[in-house]
Amino acid sequence: MRDSVNKILFGSRSNSGQVVPENAHILVATSSPCEPYDIIDSINAVSSQKAGLGGVDLEGIFEHAKNKLRAKCIELGGDAVIDCHFSERSAHSGGIAPMQVIEVWSYGTVVKFRGKSNA
């Protein structure tokens, strides 16, 4: 089960070596599509990464947040996550070993396109 969840969130390598998420067919968009749809639910996701000596991979954190939205969309039986919003923040902790964490917060609306079958 853990392997299948990891493939959904992190993807697997294609023949060209590029990482392709198992759920890449799920549209994640910041706007609404032109084709008719029914709203299923609103969802959210948070992805974070501790900043190390090499900094952070903000694009990777963003992609992980999108893949979490896609996974939730699949769980709800949707075809897409639309009207998505993303924001990032940096959190700092004090103390003996200060640490920086970068978080990407995301939310959107899961929809099912009308006339599309699950086959």
Side-chain angles (χ1 to χ4, degrees):
M1 169 116 176
R2 185 179 173 122
D3 287 340
S4 63
V5 170
N6 283 337
K7 282 185 179 179
I8 289 171
L9 291 178
F10 302 109
S12 55
R13 296 213 178 266
S14 67
N15 290 339
S16 66
Q18 183 178 8
V19 175
V20 179
E22 294 286 319
N23 55 14
H25 64 284
I26 299 292
L27 172 70
V28 174
T30 57
S31 61
S32 295
C34 294
E35 64 184 288
Y37 58 85
D38 294 312
I39 294 173
I40 295 176
D41 202 355
S42 59
I43 58 172
N44 64 65
V46 179
S47 185
S48 63
Q49 182 182 55
K50 293 178 186 176
L53 294 176
V56 296
D57 177 14
L58 189 56
E59 187 172 327
I61 302 169
F62 176 73
E63 287 301 319
H64 188 251
K66 289 192 329 184
N67 285 334
K68 282 184 163 183
L69 292 175
R70 288 181 177 116
K72 289 182 178 186
C73 178
I74 290 170
E75 287 177 17
L76 294 171
D79 295 321
V81 186
I82 63 168
D83 297 326
C84 293
H85 296 268
F86 298 89
S87 63
E88 62 91 12
R89 76 177 190 126
S90 174
H92 301 271
S93 69
I96 297 173
M99 181 184 349
Q100 180 183 19
V101 176
I102 305 297
E103 299 173 322
V104 171
W105 297 72
S106 57
Y107 64 92
T109 304
V110 175
V111 297
K112 182 78 173 168
F113 294 121
R114 292 184 188 151
K116 184 173 181 181
S117 67
N118 287 336

